[in-house]
Short mmCIF file of all heavy atoms in Angstrom, two decimals:
data_model
loop_
_atom_site.label_atom_id
_atom_site.label_comp_id
_atom_site.label_asym_id
_atom_site.label_seq_id
_atom_site.Cartn_x
_atom_site.Cartn_y
_atom_site.Cartn_z
N LEU L 1 14.36 3.95 -32.78
CA LEU L 1 12.94 4.15 -32.49
C LEU L 1 12.45 5.41 -33.19
O LEU L 1 13.23 6.33 -33.47
CB LEU L 1 12.71 4.29 -30.98
CG LEU L 1 12.97 3.07 -30.10
CD1 LEU L 1 12.71 3.41 -28.64
CD2 LEU L 1 12.13 1.87 -30.52
N ARG L 2 11.15 5.46 -33.42
CA ARG L 2 10.52 6.65 -33.99
C ARG L 2 9.36 7.06 -33.09
O ARG L 2 8.56 6.22 -32.64
CB ARG L 2 10.00 6.37 -35.40
CG ARG L 2 9.31 7.57 -36.03
CD ARG L 2 9.04 7.44 -37.52
NE ARG L 2 8.21 6.28 -37.85
CZ ARG L 2 8.66 5.21 -38.48
NH1 ARG L 2 9.95 5.13 -38.83
NH2 ARG L 2 7.86 4.21 -38.77
N ILE L 3 9.25 8.35 -32.82
CA ILE L 3 8.15 8.88 -32.02
C ILE L 3 6.97 9.17 -32.94
O ILE L 3 7.09 9.92 -33.91
CB ILE L 3 8.58 10.18 -31.31
CG1 ILE L 3 9.72 9.93 -30.33
CG2 ILE L 3 7.39 10.79 -30.57
CD1 ILE L 3 10.27 11.19 -29.68
N LEU L 4 5.82 8.56 -32.62
CA LEU L 4 4.60 8.88 -33.36
C LEU L 4 3.91 10.10 -32.77
O LEU L 4 3.31 10.89 -33.51
CB LEU L 4 3.64 7.69 -33.34
CG LEU L 4 4.12 6.39 -33.99
CD1 LEU L 4 2.99 5.36 -34.01
CD2 LEU L 4 4.65 6.63 -35.39
N ALA L 5 3.97 10.23 -31.45
CA ALA L 5 3.37 11.39 -30.79
C ALA L 5 3.89 11.49 -29.37
O ALA L 5 4.11 10.47 -28.71
CB ALA L 5 1.85 11.30 -30.78
N THR L 6 4.08 12.71 -28.91
CA THR L 6 4.37 12.93 -27.50
C THR L 6 3.04 13.07 -26.77
O THR L 6 2.05 13.51 -27.35
CB THR L 6 5.23 14.19 -27.29
OG1 THR L 6 4.54 15.32 -27.84
CG2 THR L 6 6.58 14.03 -27.98
N VAL L 7 3.02 12.67 -25.52
CA VAL L 7 1.76 12.63 -24.76
C VAL L 7 1.56 13.94 -24.01
O VAL L 7 2.42 14.35 -23.23
CB VAL L 7 1.75 11.44 -23.79
CG1 VAL L 7 0.50 11.46 -22.92
CG2 VAL L 7 1.83 10.13 -24.58
N GLY L 8 0.42 14.57 -24.26
CA GLY L 8 0.13 15.84 -23.61
C GLY L 8 -0.29 16.90 -24.61
O GLY L 8 -0.50 16.62 -25.80
N ALA L 9 -0.35 18.12 -24.13
CA ALA L 9 -0.83 19.22 -24.97
C ALA L 9 0.24 19.80 -25.88
O ALA L 9 -0.07 20.34 -26.94
CB ALA L 9 -1.41 20.32 -24.08
N GLU L 10 1.52 19.68 -25.48
CA GLU L 10 2.58 20.38 -26.22
C GLU L 10 3.63 19.41 -26.74
O GLU L 10 3.86 18.33 -26.17
CB GLU L 10 3.25 21.41 -25.30
CG GLU L 10 2.29 22.48 -24.78
CD GLU L 10 2.97 23.44 -23.83
OE1 GLU L 10 4.18 23.22 -23.54
OE2 GLU L 10 2.31 24.39 -23.40
N ALA L 11 4.28 19.82 -27.82
CA ALA L 11 5.40 19.05 -28.37
C ALA L 11 6.64 19.26 -27.50
O ALA L 11 6.69 20.18 -26.68
CB ALA L 11 5.68 19.49 -29.81
N TRP L 12 7.62 18.40 -27.69
CA TRP L 12 8.87 18.51 -26.92
C TRP L 12 9.89 19.35 -27.68
O TRP L 12 10.08 19.15 -28.89
CB TRP L 12 9.48 17.13 -26.71
CG TRP L 12 8.70 16.19 -25.85
CD1 TRP L 12 7.61 16.49 -25.09
CD2 TRP L 12 8.96 14.80 -25.68
NE1 TRP L 12 7.18 15.37 -24.45
CE2 TRP L 12 7.98 14.32 -24.78
CE3 TRP L 12 9.92 13.92 -26.19
CZ2 TRP L 12 7.94 12.98 -24.40
CZ3 TRP L 12 9.88 12.60 -25.80
CH2 TRP L 12 8.90 12.14 -24.91
N PRO L 13 10.59 20.24 -27.00
CA PRO L 13 11.65 20.99 -27.68
C PRO L 13 12.80 20.09 -28.12
O PRO L 13 13.49 20.39 -29.09
CB PRO L 13 12.10 22.00 -26.62
CG PRO L 13 11.62 21.45 -25.32
CD PRO L 13 10.38 20.69 -25.62
N GLN L 14 12.99 18.94 -27.44
CA GLN L 14 14.07 18.01 -27.83
C GLN L 14 13.78 17.35 -29.17
O GLN L 14 14.70 17.01 -29.92
CB GLN L 14 14.25 16.92 -26.76
CG GLN L 14 14.74 17.43 -25.43
CD GLN L 14 13.58 17.80 -24.51
OE1 GLN L 14 12.46 18.04 -24.95
NE2 GLN L 14 13.86 17.85 -23.22
N PHE L 15 12.49 17.12 -29.48
CA PHE L 15 12.08 16.49 -30.74
C PHE L 15 10.91 17.27 -31.30
O PHE L 15 9.77 16.80 -31.31
CB PHE L 15 11.70 15.02 -30.50
CG PHE L 15 12.81 14.19 -29.90
CD1 PHE L 15 12.83 13.92 -28.54
CD2 PHE L 15 13.84 13.70 -30.70
CE1 PHE L 15 13.85 13.15 -27.99
CE2 PHE L 15 14.86 12.94 -30.15
CZ PHE L 15 14.87 12.67 -28.79
N PRO L 16 11.17 18.48 -31.80
CA PRO L 16 10.09 19.39 -32.19
C PRO L 16 9.23 18.91 -33.36
O PRO L 16 8.10 19.37 -33.52
CB PRO L 16 10.84 20.68 -32.55
CG PRO L 16 12.23 20.25 -32.86
CD PRO L 16 12.50 19.08 -31.98
N SER L 17 9.75 17.99 -34.16
CA SER L 17 8.97 17.52 -35.31
C SER L 17 7.91 16.50 -34.92
O SER L 17 7.01 16.20 -35.71
CB SER L 17 9.90 16.91 -36.37
OG SER L 17 10.58 15.78 -35.84
N ALA L 18 8.00 15.95 -33.71
CA ALA L 18 7.01 14.96 -33.26
C ALA L 18 5.77 15.67 -32.75
O ALA L 18 5.85 16.50 -31.85
CB ALA L 18 7.61 14.09 -32.16
N PRO L 19 4.59 15.37 -33.30
CA PRO L 19 3.36 16.03 -32.84
C PRO L 19 2.94 15.52 -31.47
O PRO L 19 3.41 14.49 -30.99
CB PRO L 19 2.34 15.63 -33.90
CG PRO L 19 2.82 14.29 -34.37
CD PRO L 19 4.32 14.35 -34.33
N SER L 20 2.03 16.24 -30.83
CA SER L 20 1.52 15.82 -29.53
C SER L 20 0.15 15.16 -29.68
O SER L 20 -0.55 15.36 -30.68
CB SER L 20 1.40 17.02 -28.60
OG SER L 20 0.37 17.89 -29.05
N THR L 21 -0.22 14.37 -28.67
CA THR L 21 -1.56 13.78 -28.68
C THR L 21 -2.62 14.87 -28.58
O THR L 21 -3.72 14.73 -29.14
CB THR L 21 -1.74 12.78 -27.53
OG1 THR L 21 -1.40 13.42 -26.29
CG2 THR L 21 -0.85 11.56 -27.71
N GLY L 22 -2.29 15.96 -27.90
CA GLY L 22 -3.23 17.07 -27.80
C GLY L 22 -3.56 17.66 -29.16
O GLY L 22 -4.69 18.08 -29.41
N ALA L 23 -2.57 17.68 -30.05
CA ALA L 23 -2.79 18.21 -31.40
C ALA L 23 -3.77 17.35 -32.18
O ALA L 23 -4.38 17.82 -33.15
CB ALA L 23 -1.47 18.32 -32.14
N SER L 24 -3.91 16.09 -31.77
CA SER L 24 -4.87 15.19 -32.42
C SER L 24 -6.22 15.18 -31.71
O SER L 24 -7.09 14.36 -32.04
CB SER L 24 -4.30 13.76 -32.45
OG SER L 24 -3.11 13.71 -33.21
N GLY L 25 -6.37 16.07 -30.74
CA GLY L 25 -7.63 16.18 -30.04
C GLY L 25 -7.85 15.14 -28.95
O GLY L 25 -8.97 14.94 -28.49
N LEU L 26 -6.76 14.49 -28.51
CA LEU L 26 -6.86 13.44 -27.49
C LEU L 26 -6.46 13.99 -26.13
O LEU L 26 -5.39 14.59 -25.99
CB LEU L 26 -5.97 12.26 -27.86
CG LEU L 26 -6.33 11.51 -29.14
CD1 LEU L 26 -5.25 10.51 -29.50
CD2 LEU L 26 -7.67 10.80 -28.96
N ASN L 27 -7.28 13.77 -25.13
CA ASN L 27 -6.99 14.22 -23.78
C ASN L 27 -6.36 13.07 -22.99
O ASN L 27 -6.99 12.49 -22.10
CB ASN L 27 -8.27 14.70 -23.09
CG ASN L 27 -8.03 15.19 -21.68
OD1 ASN L 27 -6.93 15.64 -21.35
ND2 ASN L 27 -9.04 15.11 -20.84
N VAL L 28 -5.12 12.74 -23.33
CA VAL L 28 -4.43 11.67 -22.63
C VAL L 28 -3.79 12.24 -21.37
O VAL L 28 -4.16 11.91 -20.26
CB VAL L 28 -3.39 10.98 -23.53
CG1 VAL L 28 -2.72 9.83 -22.78
CG2 VAL L 28 -4.05 10.46 -24.80
N GLY L 29 -2.84 13.13 -21.53
CA GLY L 29 -2.32 13.94 -20.43
C GLY L 29 -1.83 13.19 -19.21
O GLY L 29 -1.95 13.69 -18.10
N VAL L 30 -1.30 11.98 -19.37
CA VAL L 30 -0.73 11.25 -18.24
C VAL L 30 0.74 11.62 -18.14
O VAL L 30 1.48 11.54 -19.12
CB VAL L 30 -0.88 9.73 -18.42
CG1 VAL L 30 -0.34 8.99 -17.21
CG2 VAL L 30 -2.35 9.37 -18.65
N LEU L 31 1.16 12.01 -16.93
CA LEU L 31 2.51 12.51 -16.75
C LEU L 31 3.20 11.79 -15.60
O LEU L 31 2.91 12.06 -14.43
CB LEU L 31 2.48 14.02 -16.46
CG LEU L 31 3.82 14.73 -16.35
CD1 LEU L 31 4.57 14.69 -17.68
CD2 LEU L 31 3.62 16.17 -15.90
N PRO L 32 4.09 10.83 -15.88
CA PRO L 32 4.82 10.18 -14.80
C PRO L 32 5.65 11.19 -14.00
O PRO L 32 6.20 12.14 -14.56
CB PRO L 32 5.74 9.19 -15.54
CG PRO L 32 5.05 8.95 -16.84
CD PRO L 32 4.42 10.26 -17.19
N TRP L 33 5.74 10.96 -12.68
CA TRP L 33 6.47 11.88 -11.82
C TRP L 33 7.20 11.11 -10.73
O TRP L 33 6.93 9.94 -10.47
CB TRP L 33 5.53 12.91 -11.19
CG TRP L 33 4.26 12.37 -10.60
CD1 TRP L 33 3.03 12.35 -11.18
CD2 TRP L 33 4.09 11.75 -9.30
NE1 TRP L 33 2.10 11.76 -10.34
CE2 TRP L 33 2.73 11.38 -9.18
CE3 TRP L 33 4.96 11.46 -8.24
CZ2 TRP L 33 2.21 10.75 -8.05
CZ3 TRP L 33 4.45 10.83 -7.10
CH2 TRP L 33 3.09 10.49 -7.02
N THR L 34 8.15 11.81 -10.10
CA THR L 34 8.78 11.30 -8.88
C THR L 34 8.44 12.26 -7.75
O THR L 34 8.32 13.48 -7.96
CB THR L 34 10.31 11.19 -9.00
OG1 THR L 34 10.87 12.51 -9.13
CG2 THR L 34 10.71 10.35 -10.20
N GLY L 35 8.27 11.71 -6.54
CA GLY L 35 7.94 12.57 -5.42
C GLY L 35 8.26 11.91 -4.09
O GLY L 35 8.52 10.70 -4.02
N ALA L 36 8.23 12.72 -3.04
CA ALA L 36 8.57 12.27 -1.69
C ALA L 36 7.35 12.31 -0.78
O ALA L 36 6.55 13.26 -0.85
CB ALA L 36 9.68 13.15 -1.11
N PHE L 37 7.25 11.28 0.08
CA PHE L 37 6.13 11.16 1.01
C PHE L 37 6.66 10.72 2.38
O PHE L 37 7.69 10.04 2.46
CB PHE L 37 5.13 10.12 0.53
CG PHE L 37 4.48 10.43 -0.78
CD1 PHE L 37 5.14 10.19 -1.99
CD2 PHE L 37 3.21 10.96 -0.83
CE1 PHE L 37 4.55 10.48 -3.21
CE2 PHE L 37 2.60 11.25 -2.05
CZ PHE L 37 3.27 11.01 -3.24
N VAL L 38 5.93 11.07 3.42
CA VAL L 38 6.24 10.63 4.78
C VAL L 38 4.96 10.08 5.41
O VAL L 38 3.86 10.29 4.87
CB VAL L 38 6.80 11.78 5.65
CG1 VAL L 38 8.19 12.18 5.19
CG2 VAL L 38 5.84 12.97 5.65
N PRO L 39 5.07 9.37 6.55
CA PRO L 39 3.86 8.94 7.25
C PRO L 39 2.95 10.12 7.55
O PRO L 39 3.42 11.22 7.85
CB PRO L 39 4.40 8.31 8.53
CG PRO L 39 5.78 7.85 8.17
CD PRO L 39 6.30 8.88 7.21
N PHE L 40 1.64 9.89 7.48
CA PHE L 40 0.68 10.98 7.57
C PHE L 40 0.81 11.80 8.86
O PHE L 40 0.61 13.01 8.86
CB PHE L 40 -0.75 10.45 7.44
CG PHE L 40 -1.78 11.53 7.44
CD1 PHE L 40 -2.03 12.25 6.29
CD2 PHE L 40 -2.49 11.86 8.60
CE1 PHE L 40 -2.98 13.28 6.28
CE2 PHE L 40 -3.43 12.88 8.60
CZ PHE L 40 -3.67 13.58 7.43
N ASP L 41 1.13 11.14 9.97
CA ASP L 41 1.16 11.82 11.27
C ASP L 41 2.51 12.48 11.59
O ASP L 41 2.76 12.82 12.75
CB ASP L 41 0.81 10.83 12.39
CG ASP L 41 -0.64 10.40 12.33
OD1 ASP L 41 -1.47 11.19 11.85
OD2 ASP L 41 -0.94 9.25 12.73
N THR L 42 3.35 12.66 10.59
CA THR L 42 4.64 13.31 10.82
C THR L 42 4.43 14.70 11.43
O THR L 42 3.57 15.47 11.00
CB THR L 42 5.42 13.42 9.50
OG1 THR L 42 5.66 12.10 9.00
CG2 THR L 42 6.76 14.12 9.70
N GLN L 43 5.25 15.01 12.45
CA GLN L 43 5.06 16.25 13.21
C GLN L 43 5.22 17.49 12.32
O GLN L 43 6.05 17.51 11.41
CB GLN L 43 6.09 16.30 14.35
CG GLN L 43 6.00 15.12 15.30
CD GLN L 43 7.35 14.42 15.49
OE1 GLN L 43 8.33 14.77 14.86
NE2 GLN L 43 7.36 13.42 16.34
N PRO L 44 4.43 18.54 12.60
CA PRO L 44 4.48 19.75 11.77
C PRO L 44 5.86 20.37 11.67
O PRO L 44 6.26 20.83 10.59
CB PRO L 44 3.50 20.69 12.48
CG PRO L 44 2.54 19.79 13.17
CD PRO L 44 3.36 18.60 13.61
N ASN L 45 6.63 20.39 12.77
CA ASN L 45 7.97 21.01 12.70
C ASN L 45 8.90 20.20 11.81
O ASN L 45 9.75 20.77 11.10
CB ASN L 45 8.56 21.15 14.11
CG ASN L 45 8.81 19.81 14.79
OD1 ASN L 45 7.91 18.96 14.83
ND2 ASN L 45 10.00 19.61 15.34
N VAL L 46 8.73 18.88 11.81
CA VAL L 46 9.54 18.03 10.93
C VAL L 46 9.13 18.25 9.48
O VAL L 46 9.98 18.33 8.58
CB VAL L 46 9.40 16.55 11.33
CG1 VAL L 46 10.11 15.65 10.33
CG2 VAL L 46 9.95 16.33 12.73
#
């Protein structure tokens, strides 16, 4: 595979030669994440 652009404002240190979408003036900036959630009424001490 070849990277045309990394998504966001900055290039990746792992592949520094690949430009970012931010460098092309594009405000894409979508960042997948993982996170934890509980039911809304979970007790404060918990």
